[in-house]
Amino acid sequence: MDNFSSNLLNVYQAAEKNFTKSDISLWLNFGYWENTNQVEKACEKLLDETISQFNIVKGSKILDAGFGFGVQDVYILNKFPECNIVGLNVIDYQVAKANELIQEKNLQEKVLLLKEDVVSTSFANEQFDFVLAVESAFHFYTRENFFKEAYRLLKPGGKIALADCLPQVDFVMDIEFKKAADFMAIPYQNYYEIETYLHKMKNAGFEGIVSRDISNHVLPYAAIEMLASNGWRSSSSIDLNIDPSLIDKLLKDFTKITTIGKYYIITAEKH
Ligand SMILES: C[S@@+](CC[C@H](N)C(=O)[O-])C[C@H]1O[C@@H](n2cnc3c(N)ncnc32)[C@H](O)[C@@H]1O
């Protein structure tokens, strides 16, 4: 196993034990926080914001790149019961647990969840109407390879949407930063600012590219959650009664530990 794959395994193995308690949400994203202190609500909202440009109709085929525990696929199917989803993930226990959930909800006819790397999939060209990557593309080796693969897999007229983590503006890739990047399983090749990100999408062939900086709705809350839970999700809500003067420090610590300083939703089309 290469270093990068073992970093990824370490990150999610460290998380595994946190997700065995029945009251802990199985969502694995930081959430979009607005008028709530509930983890599940914030995670659902992040998905809603990410797919808001998808006009999902009967028969739409969605590729879910990095499905976590599959809760987002159940959520999408509750809202759009007549679409079909193929999800890909590389972590065995997540694939197994997600498939249990799909069986339990009796959604096997609608969702196929596979263990496959999203940067080199087994699918033929132009299979999907939508490609979705909720807080997963920063892990891919590389994100740029994923852009090319997503473009290949989309039908003409198809759309891509990503909720994604970026470093802070003017980040410095020193030894400490690289250590944190390894800890987060983020390949060094994925570190660039939003302008380069959009340029790489354009190079992959995408058009109508739009980015939205949602850092303020995500990162302060992720920092509060990290402080409360020692890094991983361990409660169903967060305490918002934090002294505002502390938030800046929490955010700085969060960025230092995770390398994440910006958070965007990016959408684009294949013409
Ligand atoms: C932060 S989690 C987000 C999970 C989910 N989207 C959610 O919001 O709950 C990132 C996910 O991407 C998956 N992932 C990372 N690299 C991948 C790859 N190369 N191919 C497929 N999935 C990958 C991880 O296993 C994990 O499930």
Side-chain angles (χ1 to χ4, degrees):
M1 187 187 296
D2 57 57
N3 277 351
F4 173 66
S5 308
S6 82
N7 287 345
L8 192 73
L9 214 61
N10 287 341
V11 167
Y12 289 105
Q13 255 164 10
E16 191 173 346
K17 62 179 180 319
N18 285 59
F19 294 95
T20 50
K21 299 177 209 145
S22 60
D23 59 331
I24 298 303
S25 161
L26 291 177
W27 288 88
L28 282 177
N29 66 63
F30 291 138
Y32 182 108
W33 299 81
E34 192 176 64
N35 306 325
T36 189
N37 69 342
Q38 299 295 311
V39 168
E40 193 131 327
K41 285 270 161 283
C43 293
E44 289 172 0
K45 175 83 174 149
L46 182 70
L47 176 61
D48 283 335
E49 292 290 322
T50 310
I51 63 172
S52 65
Q53 299 307 309
F54 288 180
N55 44 332
I56 301 171
V57 294
K58 185 173 181 180
S60 291
K61 260 187 100 178
I62 303 175
L63 179 73
D64 183 3
F67 58 71
F69 289 112
V71 269
Q72 63 196 48
D73 303 310
V74 173
Y75 183 78
I76 292 173
L77 277 162
N78 274 337
K79 283 194 140 177
F80 306 101
E82 293 186 314
C83 71
N84 292 284
I85 302 175
V86 174
L88 305 181
N89 193 342
V90 285
I91 303 291
D92 285 312
Y93 84 87
Q94 292 181 13
V95 177
K97 204 165 165 106
N99 274 306
E100 277 170 26
L101 179 70
I102 297 304
Q103 295 262 340
E104 197 185 297
K105 303 278 180 192
N106 208 12
L107 290 170
Q108 310 86 297
E109 305 271 293
K110 293 274 158 195
V111 196
L112 179 65
L113 299 182
L114 302 171
K115 184 182 177 188
E116 253 190 58
D117 189 328
V118 299
V119 302
S120 53
T121 71
S122 57
F123 298 98
N125 294 350
E126 303 187 348
Q127 295 288 301
F128 296 94
D129 300 286
F130 304 106
V131 172
L132 174 67
V134 183
E135 208 172 295
S136 48
F138 64 116
H139 283 313
F140 301 159
Y141 190 77
T142 61
R143 186 197 274 127
E144 193 172 4
N145 289 336
F146 169 65
F147 292 157
K148 291 178 191 152
E149 184 68 353
Y151 190 83
R152 183 183 77 74
L153 294 174
L154 276 173
K155 296 177 188 169
K159 291 184 178 170
I160 186 170
L162 308 104
D164 210 352
C165 304
L166 277 78
Q168 67 190 10
V169 175
D170 297 330
F171 66 98
V172 178
M173 194 163 315
D174 56 15
I175 290 178
E176 286 305 306
F177 189 98
K178 284 186 171 172
K179 256 197 221 161
D182 289 343
F183 165 72
M184 291 296 291
I186 307 178
Y188 307 150
Q189 292 90 334
N190 288 353
Y191 283 100
Y192 34 81
E193 291 170 26
I194 191 65
E195 293 76 17
T196 307
Y197 193 115
L198 304 183
H199 192 67
K200 285 179 188 290
M201 286 190 88
K202 195 166 187 305
N203 280 347
F206 286 105
E207 297 187 54
I209 306 166
V210 176
S211 67
R212 193 175 140 214
D213 183 346
I214 59 163
S215 308
N216 290 344
H217 282 287
V218 178
L219 301 183
Y221 305 90
I224 292 170
E225 195 176 14
M226 179 177 265
L227 174 81
S229 65
N230 201 17
W232 281 105
R233 192 143 279 160
S234 63
S235 170
S236 55
S237 61
I238 62 170
D239 182 3
L240 292 176
N241 293 320
I242 296 252
D243 180 348
S245 64
L246 252 184
I247 301 276
D248 257 6
K249 178 178 173 345
L250 284 183
L251 260 176
K252 278 200 187 106
D253 290 348
F254 175 84
T255 296
K256 201 166 167 202
I257 293 167
T258 64
T259 72
I260 297 166
K262 285 277 174 194
Y263 200 103
Y264 281 87
I265 288 176
I266 305 104
T267 53
E269 299 161 12
K270 172 173 176 172
H271 284 177

